[in-house]
């Protein structure tokens, strides 16, 4: 048997010399200096970089905004339920104030207060303070001495905060 001679031919496509030089120039950046349109290429590159940076900044702002919205949603998600529970708190407070609360209702009142504190709900202190229209809703005005003018004489309905956000304004009687 005769040995066959195998000839391997390299069939990888070869780039023409002029094209390969052009590719090397582009990769090395030499093309920018020789081409009369290099100013427009530089400008186009700069515009693309600017668009990229703006898009990146926009995306970062979007991520921050959505994260903040999620945190706010979680913080204030129970707000509607809490606001609907506040009239019940008012009824308990009135019953306790007039001495008509039983021991069981006092326990329920205490549990409700504990629950509201866990949800970052705090009571607005109003009586004796200066009237502030951004915090209080004036129900009526009564004549008082000079030292009591523009002060809150009585709180008809307590105001409440969740964290630092007002969920119900205090309804008050103001001295005039």
């Amino acid at each position: 048997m005769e040995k066959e001679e195998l000839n391997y031919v390299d069939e990888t496509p070869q780039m023409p010399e002029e094209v390969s030089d052009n590719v090397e120039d582009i990769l090395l950046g030499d093309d920018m200096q020789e081409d009369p349109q290099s100013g427009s290429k530089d400008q186009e590159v700069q515009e693309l970089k600017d668009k990229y940076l703006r898009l990146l900044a926009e995306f970062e702002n979007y991520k921050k905004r959505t994260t903040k919205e999620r945190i706010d949603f979680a913080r204030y998600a129970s707000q509607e339920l809490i606001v609907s529970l506040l009239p019940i708190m008012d009824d308990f407070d009135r019953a306790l104030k007039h001495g008509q609360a039983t021991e069981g209702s006092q326990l329920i009142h205490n549990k409700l207060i504990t629950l509201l504190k866990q949800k970052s709900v705090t009571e607005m202190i109003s009586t004796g303070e200066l009237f502030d229209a951004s915090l209080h809703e004036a129900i009526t005005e009564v004549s008082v001495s000079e030292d009591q003018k523009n002060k809150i004489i009585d709180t008809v309905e307590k105001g409440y905060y969740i964290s630092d956000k007002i969920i119900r304004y205090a309804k008050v009687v103001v001295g005039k």
Side-chain angles (χ1 to χ4, degrees), residues 92-175:
F92 274 120
D93 289 339
R94 281 190 282 276
L96 289 171
K97 185 177 180 180
H98 295 292
Q100 297 177 352
T102 63
E103 189 177 327
S105 61
Q106 286 177 350
L107 289 173
I108 293 170
H109 180 258
N110 292 338
K111 285 184 179 182
L112 192 54
I113 288 173
T114 304
L115 174 74
L116 292 176
K117 283 182 182 176
Q118 289 173 350
K119 299 297 180 183
S120 301
V121 176
T122 55
E123 182 180 301
M124 189 183 295
I125 310 287
S126 300
T127 305
E129 300 290 321
L130 284 174
F131 176 73
D132 183 359
S134 64
L135 300 174
H136 309 109
E137 184 179 334
I139 300 294
T140 188
E141 292 181 340
V142 294
S143 297
V144 292
S145 63
E146 279 298 314
D147 62 327
Q148 292 292 319
K149 281 195 176 193
N150 207 26
K151 286 193 175 182
I152 298 170
I153 306 303
D154 189 27
T155 303
V156 177
E157 192 174 85
K158 293 179 185 176
Y160 290 91
Y161 299 99
I162 288 184
S163 298
D164 55 349
K165 180 182 176 187
I166 298 173
I167 59 172
R168 185 171 84 177
Y169 294 92
K171 294 181 181 175
V172 297
V173 177
V174 180

Coordinates of all heavy atoms in Angstrom, one line a residue, residues 92-175:
F92 N -63.3 55.5 72.1 CA -62.7 55.0 73.3 C -62.2 56.2 74.2 O -62.4 56.1 75.4 CB -61.5 54.1 73.0 CG -61.8 52.7 72.7 CD1 -61.5 52.1 71.5 CD2 -62.4 51.9 73.7 CE1 -61.8 50.8 71.2 CE2 -62.7 50.6 73.4 CZ -62.4 50.0 72.2
D93 N -61.6 57.2 73.6 CA -61.1 58.3 74.4 C -62.3 59.0 75.1 O -62.2 59.4 76.3 CB -60.4 59.3 73.5 CG -59.0 58.8 73.0 OD1 -58.5 57.9 73.7 OD2 -58.5 59.3 72.0
R94 N -63.4 59.2 74.4 CA -64.5 59.9 75.0 C -65.1 59.0 76.2 O -65.5 59.5 77.2 CB -65.6 60.1 74.0 CG -65.4 61.3 73.1 CD -66.6 61.7 72.3 NE -66.7 60.9 71.1 CZ -66.1 61.1 69.9 NH1 -65.2 62.1 69.8 NH2 -66.3 60.2 68.9
A95 N -65.2 57.7 75.9 CA -65.7 56.8 77.0 C -64.7 56.9 78.2 O -65.2 56.9 79.4 CB -65.8 55.4 76.5
L96 N -63.4 56.9 78.0 CA -62.5 57.0 79.1 C -62.6 58.3 79.8 O -62.5 58.4 81.1 CB -61.1 56.7 78.6 CG -60.7 55.3 78.2 CD1 -59.3 55.3 77.6 CD2 -60.8 54.4 79.4
K97 N -62.8 59.4 79.1 CA -62.9 60.7 79.6 C -64.1 60.9 80.5 O -64.0 61.5 81.5 CB -62.9 61.7 78.5 CG -62.8 63.2 78.9 CD -62.8 64.1 77.7 CE -62.8 65.5 78.1 NZ -62.8 66.4 76.9
H98 N -65.2 60.3 80.1 CA -66.4 60.4 80.9 C -66.6 59.3 81.9 O -67.6 59.2 82.6 CB -67.6 60.4 80.0 CG -67.6 61.7 79.1 ND1 -67.8 62.9 79.6 CD2 -67.4 61.8 77.8 CE1 -67.8 63.8 78.7 NE2 -67.5 63.2 77.5
G99 N -65.6 58.4 82.1 CA -65.7 57.3 83.1 C -66.6 56.2 82.7 O -67.0 55.5 83.6
Q100 N -67.0 56.1 81.5 CA -67.9 55.0 81.1 C -67.3 53.8 80.5 O -68.0 52.9 80.1 CB -68.9 55.6 80.1 CG -69.8 56.7 80.7 CD -70.7 57.3 79.6 OE1 -70.6 57.0 78.5 NE2 -71.6 58.2 80.1
A101 N -66.0 53.7 80.5 CA -65.3 52.6 80.0 C -65.1 51.5 81.0 O -64.9 51.7 82.2 CB -63.9 53.0 79.5
T102 N -65.4 50.3 80.5 CA -65.2 49.1 81.4 C -63.7 48.7 81.3 O -62.9 49.2 80.5 CB -66.1 48.0 80.9 OG1 -65.7 47.6 79.6 CG2 -67.5 48.4 80.9
E103 N -63.4 47.7 82.2 CA -62.0 47.2 82.2 C -61.7 46.6 80.9 O -60.6 46.8 80.4 CB -61.9 46.2 83.3 CG -60.4 45.8 83.6 CD -60.3 44.8 84.7 OE1 -61.1 45.0 85.7 OE2 -59.4 44.0 84.7
G104 N -62.6 45.9 80.3 CA -62.4 45.2 79.0 C -62.2 46.3 77.9 O -61.3 46.1 77.0
S105 N -62.9 47.3 77.9 CA -62.8 48.3 76.8 C -61.4 49.1 77.0 O -60.8 49.5 76.0 CB -63.9 49.3 76.8 OG -64.1 50.0 78.0
Q106 N -61.0 49.2 78.3 CA -59.7 49.9 78.5 C -58.6 49.0 78.0 O -57.6 49.5 77.4 CB -59.5 50.1 80.0 CG -60.3 51.3 80.5 CD -60.1 51.4 82.1 OE1 -59.5 50.6 82.7 NE2 -60.6 52.5 82.6
L107 N -58.7 47.7 78.1 CA -57.7 46.8 77.5 C -57.7 46.9 76.0 O -56.6 46.9 75.4 CB -58.0 45.3 78.0 CG -57.7 45.0 79.4 CD1 -58.2 43.6 79.8 CD2 -56.3 45.1 79.7
I108 N -58.8 46.9 75.4 CA -58.9 47.0 73.9 C -58.3 48.4 73.5 O -57.5 48.4 72.5 CB -60.4 46.9 73.5 CG1 -60.9 45.5 73.7 CG2 -60.5 47.2 72.0 CD1 -62.4 45.3 73.5
H109 N -58.6 49.4 74.2 CA -58.0 50.7 73.9 C -56.5 50.7 74.0 O -55.8 51.2 73.1 CB -58.6 51.8 74.9 CG -58.1 53.2 74.7 ND1 -57.1 53.7 75.5 CD2 -58.4 54.1 73.8 CE1 -56.9 54.9 75.1 NE2 -57.6 55.2 74.0
N110 N -56.0 50.1 75.0 CA -54.5 50.0 75.2 C -53.9 49.2 74.0 O -52.8 49.5 73.5 CB -54.1 49.4 76.5 CG -54.5 50.3 77.7 OD1 -54.6 51.5 77.5 ND2 -54.6 49.7 78.9
K111 N -54.5 48.1 73.6 CA -54.0 47.3 72.5 C -54.1 48.1 71.2 O -53.1 48.0 70.4 CB -54.8 46.0 72.3 CG -54.5 44.9 73.4 CD -55.2 43.7 73.1 CE -54.9 42.6 74.2 NZ -55.5 41.3 73.9
L112 N -55.1 48.9 71.0 CA -55.2 49.7 69.8 C -54.1 50.8 69.8 O -53.5 51.0 68.8 CB -56.6 50.3 69.8 CG -57.0 51.0 68.5 CD1 -56.9 50.1 67.3 CD2 -58.5 51.5 68.6
I113 N -53.8 51.3 71.0 CA -52.7 52.3 71.1 C -51.4 51.7 70.7 O -50.6 52.2 70.0 CB -52.7 53.0 72.5 CG1 -53.9 53.9 72.6 CG2 -51.4 53.7 72.7 CD1 -54.0 54.5 74.0
T114 N -51.2 50.5 71.2 CA -49.9 49.7 71.0 C -49.8 49.4 69.5 O -48.7 49.6 68.9 CB -49.9 48.4 71.8 OG1 -50.1 48.7 73.2 CG2 -48.6 47.7 71.6
L115 N -50.9 49.0 68.9 CA -50.9 48.7 67.4 C -50.6 50.0 66.6 O -49.7 49.9 65.7 CB -52.3 48.2 67.0 CG -52.4 47.9 65.5 CD1 -51.7 46.7 65.1 CD2 -53.9 47.8 65.2
L116 N -51.2 51.1 67.0 CA -50.9 52.3 66.2 C -49.4 52.8 66.4 O -48.8 53.3 65.5 CB -51.9 53.4 66.7 CG -53.3 53.2 66.3 CD1 -54.2 54.3 66.9 CD2 -53.5 53.1 64.8
K117 N -48.9 52.6 67.6 CA -47.5 52.9 67.8 C -46.6 52.0 67.0 O -45.5 52.5 66.4 CB -47.1 52.8 69.3 CG -47.6 54.0 70.1 CD -47.2 53.8 71.6 CE -47.8 54.9 72.4 NZ -47.5 54.8 73.8
Q118 N -46.9 50.8 66.8 CA -46.1 49.9 66.0 C -46.1 50.3 64.5 O -45.2 50.1 63.8 CB -46.6 48.4 66.1 CG -46.3 47.8 67.4 CD -47.0 46.4 67.5 OE1 -47.9 46.0 66.7 NE2 -46.7 45.7 68.6
K119 N -47.2 50.9 64.1 CA -47.3 51.4 62.7 C -46.9 52.9 62.6 O -47.2 53.5 61.6 CB -48.8 51.3 62.3 CG -49.4 49.9 62.3 CD -48.6 49.0 61.3 CE -49.2 47.6 61.3 NZ -48.4 46.8 60.4
S120 N -46.1 53.4 63.6 CA -45.5 54.7 63.6 C -46.6 55.8 63.6 O -46.4 56.9 63.0 CB -44.6 54.9 62.4 OG -43.6 54.0 62.4
V121 N -47.7 55.5 64.2 CA -48.8 56.6 64.3 C -48.6 57.3 65.6 O -48.5 56.6 66.7 CB -50.2 55.9 64.2 CG1 -51.3 57.0 64.4 CG2 -50.4 55.2 62.9
T122 N -48.5 58.6 65.6 CA -48.4 59.4 66.8 C -49.5 60.4 66.8 O -50.0 60.9 65.8 CB -47.0 60.1 66.9 OG1 -46.9 60.9 65.7 CG2 -45.9 59.1 67.0
E123 N -49.9 60.7 68.1 CA -51.0 61.7 68.3 C -50.4 63.1 68.3 O -49.3 63.4 68.7 CB -51.5 61.4 69.7 CG -52.6 62.2 70.2 CD -53.0 61.7 71.6 OE1 -53.4 60.6 71.8 OE2 -53.0 62.6 72.5
M124 N -51.2 64.0 67.7 CA -50.8 65.4 67.6 C -51.2 66.1 68.9 O -52.4 66.0 69.3 CB -51.5 66.0 66.4 CG -51.1 67.4 66.1 SD -52.0 68.1 64.7 CE -51.6 67.0 63.3
I125 N -50.3 66.7 69.6 CA -50.6 67.5 70.8 C -51.0 68.9 70.4 O -50.3 69.6 69.7 CB -49.3 67.6 71.7 CG1 -48.6 66.3 71.9 CG2 -49.6 68.3 73.0 CD1 -49.4 65.3 72.8
S126 N -52.2 69.3 70.8 CA -52.8 70.6 70.3 C -53.2 71.5 71.5 O -52.9 72.7 71.4 CB -54.0 70.3 69.5 OG -53.7 69.5 68.4
T127 N -53.8 71.0 72.5 CA -54.4 71.9 73.5 C -53.3 72.7 74.2 O -52.3 72.1 74.6 CB -55.2 71.1 74.6 OG1 -56.2 70.3 73.9 CG2 -55.8 72.0 75.6
G128 N -53.5 74.0 74.2 CA -52.5 74.9 74.9 C -51.5 75.5 73.9 O -50.7 76.4 74.2
E129 N -51.4 74.9 72.7 CA -50.4 75.3 71.7 C -51.0 76.5 70.9 O -52.2 76.7 70.9 CB -50.1 74.2 70.7 CG -49.5 73.0 71.4 CD -48.1 73.2 71.9 OE1 -47.3 73.9 71.2 OE2 -47.8 72.7 73.0
L130 N -50.1 77.2 70.2 CA -50.6 78.2 69.3 C -51.3 77.6 68.1 O -50.8 76.5 67.6 CB -49.4 79.1 68.8 CG -48.8 80.1 69.8 CD1 -47.6 80.8 69.2 CD2 -49.9 81.1 70.1
F131 N -52.3 78.2 67.6 CA -53.0 77.7 66.4 C -52.1 77.8 65.2 O -51.5 78.8 64.9 CB -54.3 78.5 66.2 CG -55.1 78.1 65.0 CD1 -55.8 76.9 65.0 CD2 -55.1 78.9 63.9 CE1 -56.5 76.5 63.8 CE2 -55.8 78.5 62.7 CZ -56.5 77.3 62.7
D132 N -52.1 76.7 64.5 CA -51.3 76.6 63.2 C -52.2 76.0 62.2 O -52.6 74.9 62.3 CB -50.1 75.8 63.4 CG -49.2 75.7 62.2 OD1 -49.5 76.3 61.1 OD2 -48.1 75.1 62.2
A133 N -52.6 76.8 61.2 CA -53.5 76.4 60.1 C -53.0 75.2 59.3 O -53.8 74.5 58.7 CB -53.9 77.5 59.2
S134 N -51.7 75.0 59.3 CA -51.2 73.8 58.6 C -51.3 72.5 59.4 O -51.1 71.5 58.8 CB -49.7 74.1 58.2 OG -48.9 74.2 59.4
L135 N -51.6 72.6 60.7 CA -51.8 71.4 61.5 C -53.2 71.3 62.1 O -53.6 70.1 62.4 CB -50.8 71.5 62.7 CG -49.3 71.6 62.4 CD1 -48.5 71.8 63.7 CD2 -48.9 70.3 61.6
H136 N -53.9 72.4 62.2 CA -55.2 72.4 62.9 C -56.3 72.9 62.1 O -56.1 73.7 61.2 CB -55.1 73.2 64.2 CG -53.9 72.9 65.1 ND1 -52.8 73.8 65.2 CD2 -53.6 71.8 65.8 CE1 -51.9 73.3 66.0 NE2 -52.4 72.1 66.4
E137 N -57.5 72.4 62.3 CA -58.7 72.9 61.7 C -59.5 73.5 62.8 O -60.0 72.8 63.7 CB -59.4 71.7 61.1 CG -60.6 72.0 60.3 CD -61.3 70.8 59.7 OE1 -60.6 69.8 59.4 OE2 -62.5 70.9 59.5
A138 N -59.8 74.8 62.6 CA -60.5 75.5 63.7 C -62.0 75.3 63.5 O -62.6 75.6 62.4 CB -60.2 77.0 63.6
I139 N -62.6 74.7 64.5 CA -64.1 74.4 64.5 C -64.8 75.7 64.9 O -65.8 76.0 64.3 CB -64.4 73.2 65.4 CG1 -63.7 72.0 65.0 CG2 -65.9 73.0 65.5 CD1 -64.1 71.4 63.7
T140 N -64.4 76.3 65.9 CA -65.0 77.5 66.4 C -64.0 78.4 67.2 O -62.9 77.9 67.5 CB -66.2 77.1 67.4 OG1 -66.9 78.3 67.7 CG2 -65.7 76.5 68.6
E141 N -64.4 79.6 67.4 CA -63.6 80.6 68.2 C -64.4 81.0 69.4 O -65.6 81.2 69.3 CB -63.2 81.8 67.4 CG -62.3 81.5 66.2 CD -61.9 82.7 65.4 OE1 -62.6 83.7 65.5 OE2 -60.9 82.6 64.7
V142 N -63.7 81.2 70.5 CA -64.3 81.6 71.8 C -63.5 82.8 72.3 O -62.3 83.0 72.1 CB -64.4 80.5 72.8 CG1 -65.3 79.4 72.4 CG2 -63.0 80.0 73.2
S143 N -64.2 83.7 73.0 CA -63.6 84.9 73.6 C -62.8 84.5 74.8 O -63.3 83.7 75.6 CB -64.6 85.9 74.0 OG -65.3 86.4 72.8
V144 N -61.6 84.9 74.9 CA -60.7 84.6 76.0 C -59.9 85.8 76.4 O -59.9 86.8 75.7 CB -59.7 83.4 75.6 CG1 -60.5 82.1 75.4 CG2 -58.9 83.7 74.4
S145 N -59.1 85.7 77.4 CA -58.2 86.8 77.9 C -57.1 86.9 76.9 O -56.8 86.1 76.0 CB -57.7 86.4 79.3 OG -56.9 85.3 79.2
E146 N -56.4 88.0 77.0 CA -55.3 88.4 76.1 C -54.2 87.3 76.0 O -53.7 87.0 75.0 CB -54.6 89.7 76.5 CG -55.4 90.9 76.1 CD -55.5 91.1 74.6 OE1 -54.5 90.9 73.9 OE2 -56.6 91.4 74.1
D147 N -53.8 86.7 77.1 CA -52.8 85.7 77.1 C -53.2 84.4 76.4 O -52.3 83.6 76.1 CB -52.3 85.4 78.5 CG -53.3 84.9 79.4 OD1 -54.5 85.2 79.3 OD2 -53.0 84.1 80.3
Q148 N -54.5 84.2 76.2 CA -55.0 82.9 75.6 C -55.3 83.2 74.1 O -55.7 82.2 73.4 CB -56.2 82.4 76.3 CG -55.9 81.9 77.7 CD -55.1 80.6 77.6 OE1 -55.3 79.7 76.8 NE2 -54.1 80.5 78.6
K149 N -55.2 84.4 73.6 CA -55.5 84.7 72.2 C -54.7 83.9 71.2 O -53.5 83.7 71.4 CB -55.4 86.2 71.9 CG -56.6 87.0 72.4 CD -56.6 88.3 71.8 CE -57.9 89.0 72.3 NZ -58.2 90.2 71.6
N150 N -55.3 83.4 70.2 CA -54.7 82.6 69.1 C -54.1 81.3 69.6 O -53.3 80.7 69.0 CB -53.7 83.4 68.4 CG -53.5 82.9 66.9 OD1 -54.4 82.3 66.4 ND2 -52.3 83.1 66.4
K151 N -54.5 80.9 70.8 CA -54.1 79.6 71.4 C -55.3 78.6 71.3 O -56.4 79.0 71.3 CB -53.6 79.7 72.8 CG -52.3 80.3 72.9 CD -51.7 80.2 74.3 CE -50.3 80.7 74.4 NZ -49.7 80.5 75.7
I152 N -54.9 77.3 71.3 CA -56.0 76.3 71.2 C -56.5 76.1 72.6 O -55.7 75.7 73.5 CB -55.4 75.0 70.6 CG1 -55.0 75.3 69.2 CG2 -56.4 73.9 70.7 CD1 -54.2 74.2 68.5
I153 N -57.8 76.3 72.8 CA -58.5 76.1 74.1 C -58.8 74.7 74.3 O -58.7 74.2 75.4 CB -59.7 77.0 74.2 CG1 -59.4 78.5 73.8 CG2 -60.4 76.9 75.5 CD1 -58.3 79.1 74.7
D154 N -59.4 74.0 73.3 CA -59.8 72.6 73.5 C -59.6 71.9 72.2 O -59.7 72.5 71.1 CB -61.3 72.6 73.9 CG -61.8 71.2 74.3 OD1 -61.0 70.4 74.7 OD2 -63.0 70.9 74.1
T155 N -59.4 70.6 72.3 CA -59.3 69.8 71.1 C -60.5 68.9 71.0 O -60.8 68.1 71.9 CB -58.0 68.8 71.2 OG1 -56.9 69.7 71.3 CG2 -57.9 68.0 69.9
V156 N -61.3 69.1 69.9 CA -62.5 68.4 69.7 C -62.2 67.0 69.1 O -62.8 66.0 69.5 CB -63.5 69.1 68.8 CG1 -64.7 68.3 68.5 CG2 -63.8 70.5 69.3
E157 N -61.3 66.9 68.2 CA -60.9 65.7 67.6 C -59.4 65.7 67.4 O -58.8 66.6 66.8 CB -61.6 65.5 66.2 CG -61.5 64.2 65.6 CD -62.4 64.1 64.3 OE1 -61.9 64.5 63.3 OE2 -63.5 63.6 64.5
K158 N -58.7 64.7 67.9 CA -57.2 64.7 67.8 C -56.7 64.5 66.4 O -57.4 63.9 65.6 CB -56.7 63.5 68.7 CG -56.9 63.6 70.1 CD -56.3 62.4 70.8 CE -56.6 62.5 72.3 NZ -56.2 61.2 73.0
G159 N -55.6 65.1 66.2 CA -54.9 64.9 64.9 C -53.8 63.8 65.0 O -53.4 63.5 66.2
Y160 N -53.5 63.2 63.9 CA -52.5 62.1 64.0 C -51.5 62.2 62.8 O -51.8 62.7 61.8 CB -53.2 60.7 63.9 CG -54.0 60.4 65.1 CD1 -55.4 60.7 65.2 CD2 -53.4 59.7 66.2 CE1 -56.1 60.4 66.4 CE2 -54.1 59.4 67.3 CZ -55.5 59.8 67.4 OH -56.2 59.5 68.6
Y161 N -50.3 61.6 63.1 CA -49.3 61.5 62.1 C -48.9 60.1 61.9 O -49.0 59.3 62.8 CB -47.9 62.1 62.6 CG -47.9 63.6 63.0 CD1 -48.1 64.0 64.3 CD2 -47.8 64.6 62.0 CE1 -48.0 65.3 64.6 CE2 -47.7 65.9 62.3 CZ -47.8 66.3 63.6 OH -47.8 67.6 64.0
I162 N -48.5 59.7 60.7 CA -47.8 58.5 60.4 C -46.4 58.9 60.0 O -46.2 59.7 59.1 CB -48.4 57.7 59.2 CG1 -49.7 57.1 59.6 CG2 -47.4 56.6 58.8 CD1 -50.3 56.2 58.5
S163 N -45.4 58.5 60.8 CA -44.1 59.0 60.7 C -44.1 60.6 60.8 O -44.5 61.1 61.8 CB -43.4 58.5 59.5 OG -43.3 57.1 59.5
D164 N -43.8 61.2 59.7 CA -43.9 62.7 59.8 C -45.0 63.3 58.9 O -45.1 64.5 58.7 CB -42.5 63.3 59.3 CG -42.1 62.8 58.0 OD1 -42.7 61.8 57.5 OD2 -41.1 63.3 57.4
K165 N -45.8 62.4 58.4 CA -46.9 62.8 57.5 C -48.2 62.9 58.3 O -48.6 62.0 59.0 CB -47.1 61.8 56.3 CG -48.2 62.1 55.4 CD -48.2 61.0 54.3 CE -49.4 61.3 53.4 NZ -49.6 60.2 52.4
I166 N -49.0 64.0 58.1 CA -50.2 64.2 58.8 C -51.3 63.3 58.1 O -51.5 63.4 56.8 CB -50.7 65.7 58.7 CG1 -49.7 66.5 59.5 CG2 -52.1 65.8 59.3 CD1 -49.9 68.0 59.4
I167 N -52.0 62.5 58.8 CA -53.1 61.7 58.3 C -54.4 62.2 58.7 O -55.4 61.9 58.0 CB -52.9 60.2 58.6 CG1 -52.9 60.0 60.1 CG2 -51.7 59.6 58.0 CD1 -53.0 58.5 60.5
R168 N -54.5 63.0 59.7 CA -55.7 63.7 60.1 C -55.4 64.9 60.9 O -54.6 64.9 61.8 CB -56.6 62.8 61.0 CG -57.9 63.4 61.3 CD -58.9 62.5 61.9 NE -58.7 62.4 63.4 CZ -59.4 61.7 64.2 NH1 -60.4 61.0 63.8 NH2 -59.2 61.7 65.5
Y169 N -56.0 66.0 60.5 CA -55.8 67.3 61.1 C -56.6 67.4 62.4 O -57.7 66.8 62.5 CB -56.1 68.5 60.2 CG -55.2 68.6 59.0 CD1 -55.6 67.9 57.8 CD2 -54.1 69.3 59.0 CE1 -54.8 68.0 56.7 CE2 -53.2 69.3 57.9 CZ -53.6 68.7 56.8 OH -52.8 68.7 55.7
A170 N -56.1 68.1 63.4 CA -56.8 68.2 64.7 C -57.9 69.2 64.5 O -57.7 70.3 63.9 CB -55.8 68.6 65.8
K171 N -59.1 68.9 65.0 CA -60.2 69.9 65.0 C -60.2 70.5 66.4 O -60.3 69.8 67.4 CB -61.5 69.2 64.7 CG -61.5 68.6 63.3 CD -62.8 67.9 63.0 CE -62.7 67.4 61.5 NZ -63.9 66.6 61.2
V172 N -60.1 71.9 66.4 CA -59.8 72.5 67.7 C -60.7 73.8 67.9 O -61.3 74.3 66.9 CB -58.3 73.0 67.8 CG1 -57.4 71.8 67.8 CG2 -58.0 73.9 66.6
V173 N -60.8 74.2 69.1 CA -61.4 75.5 69.5 C -60.3 76.5 69.8 O -59.4 76.2 70.6 CB -62.3 75.3 70.7 CG1 -63.0 76.6 71.2 CG2 -63.4 74.2 70.5
V174 N -60.4 77.6 69.1 CA -59.4 78.6 69.2 C -59.9 79.8 70.0 O -61.0 80.3 69.8 CB -58.9 79.0 67.8 CG1 -57.8 80.1 67.9 CG2 -58.4 77.8 67.0
G175 N -59.0 80.4 70.8 CA -59.3 81.6 71.5 C -59.1 82.9 70.6 O -58.1 83.0 69.9

